[in-house]
Amino acid sequence: MKMLNVGIVGTGMAFERLHYPAFQKLTDRYKIVALCDRDLQKAKEWARRLQLGDDAVYSDVRQMLDRTDLDIVDILVPIELNFEVTEAVAQRWRGQKKGIICEKPLAATFKQALAARELAQKYNVPIMIAENYRYNEENNLIRDLVRTRKIGDVFYFIFNRVVDFPHDMWTNDFTAREWRQHPRFPGGALLDMGVHDIAALHHILGPVEKLQAFGRPQSDDFSPYSVVMVNMRFQSGVIGNYGFFCAGKEMQRPLIGLRIFGSEGMIYLEERECGTVNVALNDGRQEQIPYTPKKGYENELINFHQALTGSEPISVTPEMAYGDMLVIEQILQSIREQQILSGDEGVVYSPLYPPPGEQPTYMQ
């Protein structure tokens, strides 16, 4: 199997807790050979851990790109830097078929997102957006249950996300970052976290046709709204409600989670790490389908390796991630203007997914 050399941009928590464990499981495909971080000491500590020399450590991504042995750059920086760094790498690697992994959302502003949408074609370079919710096993299972009509015709859904941001920001977790607590990007926590949920809904149900949103304003910097409620209609005709609450502890018993209702039953995912997708049919039959939580980080790296070696397309393109961010923009605009808006009109969701029996490599 072909080994791909990786340069890491950003050696913080996302690398340590999310991407690095996935790379560790795929040492037959990837080898980390260079590290870049504005905090040079942090990068040097990782270099020692990975048994790399000081010549593998950089504080400027442009200097790291002078290396001739890199096949991939994995970008793990604060959201406001995603577009800037991705564009710089794409410009340098124009037409070389070297790969770029960029975290979600693909940009900090909607103007940047529109430009980021075109980067792969403009510079003729493969770009994957690391939207792990599109690679997570639970969402792939639910998508196929819907596509194979396990619960008949799908009528509607309820999807609810609860985040205790005020508590979590004092813990050693992702919310405990200054750039998340005082974001320089619109929507704050809704864009940072809610974009995952929109990606999951896109993955399962397809493009959004119309939406109408309401928000409860708050004064905290981390989000302009304590709660957002969105009524949605998909091009498939499925309707539903998405709720995002981020202002404190909400005692849901049982959890609302994701519930999809059809003519023959219901699909229920309590929350993304519970390990079981539940199916309850109208005739009384029930099924519990196990899955491995948080498998998306590993699956996305498998898919990207397969894409760069020519055996399957990239499953999450900048175009698709742009669609996710566009829906967030429409939600925020709908709240401000109190209007019903089009969802992700004009976004092309490709490549088309194969039939359930012909899965991408990362799902086999």
Side-chain angles (χ1 to χ4, degrees):
M1 188 172 295
K2 182 177 180 180
M3 183 71 69
L4 300 178
N5 289 337
V6 183
I8 301 295
V9 183
T11 57
M13 190 176 290
F15 173 61
E16 179 181 10
R17 299 190 184 181
L18 306 179
H19 287 220
Y20 177 61
F23 279 120
Q24 283 185 300
K25 295 178 181 178
L26 299 170
T27 54
D28 59 333
R29 301 170 189 253
Y30 293 102
K31 181 180 180 182
I32 297 172
V33 299
L35 302 160
C36 179
D37 200 294
R38 289 179 174 179
D39 184 342
L40 198 59
Q41 186 58 39
K42 186 191 301 181
K44 287 183 177 180
E45 290 172 2
W46 269 103
R48 286 193 288 271
R49 181 171 174 178
L50 297 174
Q51 298 183 336
L52 299 174
D54 288 344
D55 59 345
V57 177
Y58 303 86
S59 60
D60 187 332
V61 65
R62 292 167 180 83
Q63 294 177 352
M64 188 178 78
L65 294 176
D66 288 335
R67 297 177 66 108
T68 59
D69 61 341
L70 291 180
D71 299 302
I72 290 173
V73 164
D74 186 9
I75 300 168
L76 301 126
V77 295
I79 289 173
E80 62 262 27
L81 298 176
N82 273 346
F83 175 72
E84 174 188 330
V85 177
T86 303
E87 184 181 41
V89 179
Q91 285 177 336
R92 180 68 70 88
W93 281 358
R94 181 194 295 264
Q96 295 187 43
K97 303 302 181 184
K98 296 186 176 186
I100 301 171
I101 301 173
C102 175
E103 263 295 335
K104 50 51 60 186
L106 72 173
T109 69
F110 301 114
K111 182 178 179 180
Q112 284 184 346
L114 192 59
R117 179 188 191 185
E118 308 295 336
L119 286 179
Q121 290 74 31
K122 181 177 180 180
Y123 295 108
N124 189 24
V125 59
I127 300 176
M128 180 188 74
I129 306 302
E131 178 45 79
N132 58 294
Y133 276 43
R134 276 197 168 92
Y135 291 98
N136 278 351
E137 288 189 355
E138 67 272 21
N139 292 325
N140 284 317
L141 283 168
I142 295 170
R143 183 201 64 190
D144 283 342
L145 290 170
V146 168
R147 290 197 305 159
T148 57
R149 296 174 51 81
K150 182 73 173 182
I151 57 170
D153 296 325
V154 174
F155 291 148
Y156 72 101
F157 70 89
I158 301 171
F159 190 11
N160 186 252
R161 163 77 79 103
V162 176
V163 180
D164 189 354
F165 201 106
H167 170 268
D168 294 346
M169 64 191 292
W170 296 102
T171 64
N172 184 27
D173 210 339
F174 292 97
T175 51
R177 293 294 176 267
E178 186 76 13
W179 61 270
R180 282 192 165 100
Q181 296 169 13
H182 306 284
R184 300 178 185 175
F185 44 88
L190 178 65
L191 176 59
D192 186 15
M193 301 177 183
V195 76
H196 279 306
D197 303 327
I198 300 304
L201 288 172
H202 274 145
H203 190 63
I204 295 165
L205 300 174
V208 178
E209 184 178 65
K210 296 286 183 181
L211 62 82
Q212 180 183 35
F214 297 91
R216 183 184 177 95
Q218 65 172 14
S219 58
D220 298 271
D221 285 353
F222 65 82
S223 173
Y225 306 105
S226 59
V227 60
V228 169
M229 301 298 291
V230 190
N231 291 322
M232 311 175 78
R233 184 174 74 203
F234 286 74
Q235 290 181 14
S236 62
V238 176
I239 62 173
N241 177 265
Y242 169 65
F244 180 83
F245 176 81
C246 61
K249 190 171 184 62
E250 186 175 290
M251 191 58 69
Q252 289 186 6
R253 291 294 184 273
L255 291 174
I256 295 172
L258 172 60
R259 300 169 186 255
I260 301 176
F261 300 88
S263 59
E264 298 177 19
M266 178 187 76
I267 300 167
Y268 172 46
L269 178 69
E270 183 180 28
E271 53 90 22
R272 68 188 180 95
E273 295 183 28
C274 67
T276 303
V277 174
N278 297 277
V279 179
L281 298 177
N282 294 347
D283 61 9
R285 288 179 296 152
Q286 296 188 17
E287 187 175 353
Q288 287 75 44
I289 306 172
Y291 67 86
T292 303
K294 293 187 176 182
K295 194 74 181 295
Y297 306 107
E298 182 180 348
N299 288 341
E300 65 193 13
L301 291 180
I302 293 174
N303 171 235
F304 201 50
H305 185 278
Q306 296 297 99
L308 290 189
T309 54
S311 60
E312 66 187 30
I314 295 172
S315 288
V316 183
T317 62
E319 171 81 359
M320 298 169 73
Y322 167 77
D324 300 336
M325 191 167 173
L326 178 59
V327 169
I328 297 293
E329 178 188 24
Q330 297 281 50
I331 290 171
L332 294 170
Q333 184 180 345
S334 178
I335 295 172
R336 292 193 305 268
E337 300 178 1
Q338 300 183 30
Q339 297 288 330
I340 298 174
L341 300 175
S342 59
D344 47 11
E345 185 177 355
V347 178
V348 178
Y349 289 92
S350 63
L352 296 176
Y353 291 109
E358 301 175 16
Q359 306 288 25
T361 301
Y362 70 85
M363 291 177 58
Q364 294 175 2

